[in-house]
Amino acid sequence: MAIDYRQWVPGVQAVRDYRAAWLPRDVVAGIVLTTLLVPQGMAYAELAGLPPITGLYTTILCLLAYAVFGPSRILVLGPDSSLGPMIAAVLVGLVGMGADPSESVGLASMLALMTGVLLAAAGVAKLGFLADLLSRPTQLGYLNGLALTILVSQLPKLFGFSIEGDGLIEETAGFFSGVAAGSTVPAAVAVGLFGLVVIVLLRRFAPKVPGVLTAVVLSIAAVAVFDLSERGVQVVGPLPQGFPPFTLPSASWSELGILAVGAFGITLVSLTDTISTSSAFAARTGQEVRGSQEMVGIGAANVAASFFQGFPVSTSGSRTAVAEQAGARTQLTGVVGAAAIGLLLILAPDLLRNLPQPTLAAVVIAAALSLADIPGMARLWRRRRIEFILALAAFLGVALLGVLPGIGVAVALSVLNVFRRLWWPYMAVLGRASGVSGYHDISQYPDAERLPGLILFRFDAPLIFANARAFRDQIRELAAADPPPTWIVIAAEPITDVDTTAADVLEELDLELNEKGISLVFAELKSPVLEKIDRYSLTRTINPDHFFPTIEDAVAAYQRQHGTDWSRP
């Protein structure tokens, strides 16, 4: 069977469809993009606890691989601020603080390989729905916690010293202890804060000016002019010339377990970020989102990076926005960026040797500030307190437990929130409100009319094992009214399923109500659910004549049988 290259290798089709008129814009956009890729790649590598050069290796390989396997025209990949702390957490858990860089790089490459395989496998299996494991409120809380964690981790570097600490509390205590002990390097604080102010102000007031590049160039110039390296400011130093050798990632059996947990968490975050970012830019460019192929493309990028001292990558909204604003038309923009970084490593590896470490910290802190969304938390507080609590719990999970446990907390909270809505769904007694057609919740319309002896009850969820008892208890409470009802009509349109546990509860409940002279009646049951009712043989106890296509039909049947009319409560 012939391979459909358009599906699995979109880059082949992109080459065939490429237009010469696009070339100038793609080349210019690629050069502009490089000015952001280089400093961010180096900064995010250090955020992950790795040598800065690995950020450039990773950027080159992931851009080239995504150009071949990625479906988006302009999506840009690379080292990411949201993944950096997760990678660092895995490495610290395996080798501890201050480990041999070569050992950390090897483990990070294995982590990238495992992440890539998971992403590609998820894409082939069409498991894009896994991104839904992080709901918006928990994602918001997670990102705010991540932003705080990144900010605190970079403050010592911004102030010119280093600390030993694991986790937000220890790092915060270590930072303030260092400041109190006089470890601060004034020149480092000055150049770091200067870089941060430049990035933030240009992003706010002149977004078309490359703030990161401006901060980097001015900081390098400051090191040369004021001889800051002699004043205690640490610099990147010379970068290795050329490319790293092809290396097969490896790890011991004892290390694979921790790496697998980390790879799963990184995969989930990368998947969520990719789906949201690609959806946003696809809507603006008129493309369709191909979620499964996006996962294959991101997976291929991670696998490619893993063989050349790379670490896990994801999509970047900020870099994609830069490429779009610069006029990018295709993935050739990323290829140009990769080629430009390659030429930098071959021809001018000393170009960035005087780049101050506090400036890299400023780049990371600026990225952390962009991750934070305090107004979003405030909106949740105003709109829905329960989701604010979920977001706050996810925030505290990341801030207090760490990044990897925090992602676990966020996922668990999202899943529990789904089950909470199934366990305790909204339930309402309905009545006929004046001036409004249909039947409505009497808690919203207290003066709604009701038929004596009839209760209209709506249950807003599938009827399954998790909520069958809550349904039964509510029906029992309604049946215990004084005077007792004759019919309890279930407005069943929201009930999209009835499982076997719920079927048994319904059967027992109907028998119990029949002994009290009360009929259980259903209206608006969907055809698939009615078929299940028949399959469960529930009509042995529930009168087959007590299933109506609409609430109006059920009400009319009751009125014909009992001769009652509507009355106000």
Side-chain angles (χ1 to χ4, degrees):
M1 184 172 61
I3 297 176
D4 186 358
Y5 290 104
R6 289 173 298 181
Q7 178 180 357
W8 297 109
V9 191
V12 173
Q13 189 65 35
V15 171
R16 292 175 178 173
D17 295 340
Y18 196 82
R19 302 177 187 175
W22 296 344
L23 183 60
R25 302 185 72 175
D26 278 340
V27 171
V28 171
I31 294 173
V32 172
L33 183 63
T34 304
T35 64
L36 189 63
L37 293 173
V38 172
Q40 282 194 346
M42 298 172 69
Y44 297 160
E46 291 211 330
L47 178 62
L50 299 166
I53 187 63
T54 60
L56 302 186
Y57 296 155
T58 301
T59 301
I60 293 173
L61 272 301
C62 74
L63 288 174
L64 294 176
Y66 187 81
V68 177
F69 294 99
S72 173
R73 293 177 187 172
I74 63 170
L75 208 62
V76 178
L77 271 66
D80 188 67
S81 58
S82 62
L83 299 188
M86 301 181 73
I87 299 168
V90 174
L91 298 181
V92 169
L94 288 171
V95 298
M97 301 289 290
D100 179 16
S102 62
E103 185 178 3
S104 297
V105 169
L107 291 172
S109 296
M110 189 64 187
L111 186 61
L113 178 61
M114 296 174 73
T115 301
V117 170
L118 284 174
L119 280 165
V124 173
K126 301 186 184 302
L127 299 180
F129 66 88
L130 290 174
D132 298 333
L133 289 177
L134 277 177
S135 67
R136 176 58 184 162
T138 52
Q139 188 178 357
L140 187 64
Y142 168 78
L143 290 176
N144 280 319
L146 193 62
L148 180 61
T149 301
I150 293 172
L151 175 64
V152 171
S153 72
Q154 295 301 302
L155 284 177
K157 187 188 295 185
L158 189 74
F159 277 62
F161 61 90
S162 60
I163 61 171
E164 295 288 334
D166 183 18
L168 180 68
I169 295 177
E170 289 186 16
E171 290 179 345
T172 302
F175 169 69
F176 283 109
S177 297
V179 172
S183 301
T184 300
V185 179
V189 177
V191 73
L193 288 179
F194 170 77
L196 180 60
V197 169
V198 168
I199 295 170
V200 172
L201 289 182
L202 288 179
R203 179 189 296 167
R204 175 68 177 85
F205 297 106
K208 292 188 177 181
V209 178
V212 172
L213 175 64
T214 302
V216 166
V217 171
L218 293 177
S219 298
I220 292 175
V223 170
V225 172
F226 300 107
D227 198 17
L228 296 182
S229 58
E230 295 298 322
R231 298 174 182 269
V233 177
Q234 296 183 353
V235 296
V236 170
L239 300 176
Q241 188 172 23
F243 298 103
F246 176 86
T247 307
L248 288 175
S250 62
S252 67
W253 287 106
S254 61
E255 294 167 334
L256 287 178
I258 297 178
L259 288 171
V261 172
F264 178 79
I266 292 170
T267 296
L268 187 59
V269 171
S270 180
L271 178 59
T272 304
D273 193 27
T274 297
I275 296 299
S276 59
T277 304
S278 61
S279 298
F281 283 95
R284 289 159 60 171
T285 59
Q287 284 187 274
E288 292 185 6
V289 177
R290 295 166 55 189
S292 297
Q293 185 59 39
E294 286 290 1
M295 285 184 279
V296 172
I298 306 293
N302 277 280
V303 170
S306 73
F307 294 128
F308 294 91
Q309 300 184 15
F311 52 88
V313 299
S314 182
T315 55
S316 169
S318 62
R319 277 164 277 182
T320 303
V322 168
E324 183 189 46
Q325 292 170 4
R329 301 301 298 269
T330 70
Q331 282 298 326
L332 182 60
T333 294
V335 174
V336 171
I341 297 173
L343 289 175
L344 172 68
L345 294 179
I346 295 173
L347 302 178
D350 289 341
L351 186 63
L352 299 173
R353 65 182 303 166
N354 286 328
L355 175 59
Q357 291 284 0
T359 301
L360 290 181
V363 172
V364 175
I365 289 173
L369 294 177
S370 68
L371 287 177
D373 188 359
I374 306 303
M377 295 286 285
R379 283 193 300 272
L380 282 181
W381 173 260
R382 293 193 303 268
R383 294 176 180 176
R384 190 162 184 171
R385 298 289 169 85
I386 185 64
E387 294 197 344
F388 171 83
I389 293 172
L390 290 173
L392 182 62
F395 168 82
L396 294 175
V398 175
L400 300 180
L401 301 179
V403 178
L404 285 178
I407 190 68
V409 169
V411 171
L413 288 173
S414 293
V415 173
L416 286 175
N417 191 35
V418 173
F419 279 104
R420 178 190 64 83
R421 295 176 184 179
L422 290 175
W423 284 331
W424 302 296
Y426 189 77
M427 295 176 271
V429 174
L430 309 180
R432 192 175 71 173
S434 59
V436 184
S437 61
Y439 304 91
H440 301 276
D441 187 349
I442 62 172
S443 65
Q444 302 297 318
Y445 295 89
D447 295 330
E449 297 177 332
R450 300 168 65 180
L451 280 171
L454 179 139
I455 293 177
L456 295 174
F457 174 70
R458 192 183 69 217
F459 187 79
D460 291 347
L463 190 54
I464 59 174
F465 69 95
N467 56 34
R469 291 189 179 183
F471 176 88
R472 180 196 62 191
D473 293 343
Q474 186 62 35
I475 295 296
R476 283 176 173 173
E477 184 176 331
L478 295 174
D482 186 21
T486 305
W487 277 20
I488 298 178
V489 177
I490 310 299
E493 194 273 338
I495 300 178
T496 56
D497 191 19
V498 175
D499 69 6
T500 55
T501 302
D504 291 341
V505 170
L506 283 175
E507 184 173 6
E508 295 170 2
L509 182 62
D510 186 62
L511 292 172
E512 178 183 322
L513 293 176
N514 288 341
E515 292 180 358
K516 298 178 180 180
I518 302 173
S519 296
L520 191 61
V521 180
F522 291 85
E524 298 185 338
L525 266 177
K526 292 177 170 61
S527 297
V529 183
L530 269 173
E531 292 173 2
K532 291 180 181 179
I533 294 291
D534 289 336
R535 195 182 314 144
Y536 300 150
S537 301
L538 281 178
T539 50
R540 288 184 292 106
T541 58
I542 301 176
N543 188 338
D545 294 332
H546 284 171
F547 292 89
F548 296 93
T550 66
I551 298 177
E552 288 81 2
D553 291 331
V555 168
Y558 177 82
Q559 287 182 300
R560 285 194 303 270
Q561 186 172 333
H562 297 88
T564 58
D565 201 3
W566 294 95
S567 61
R568 292 191 179 277

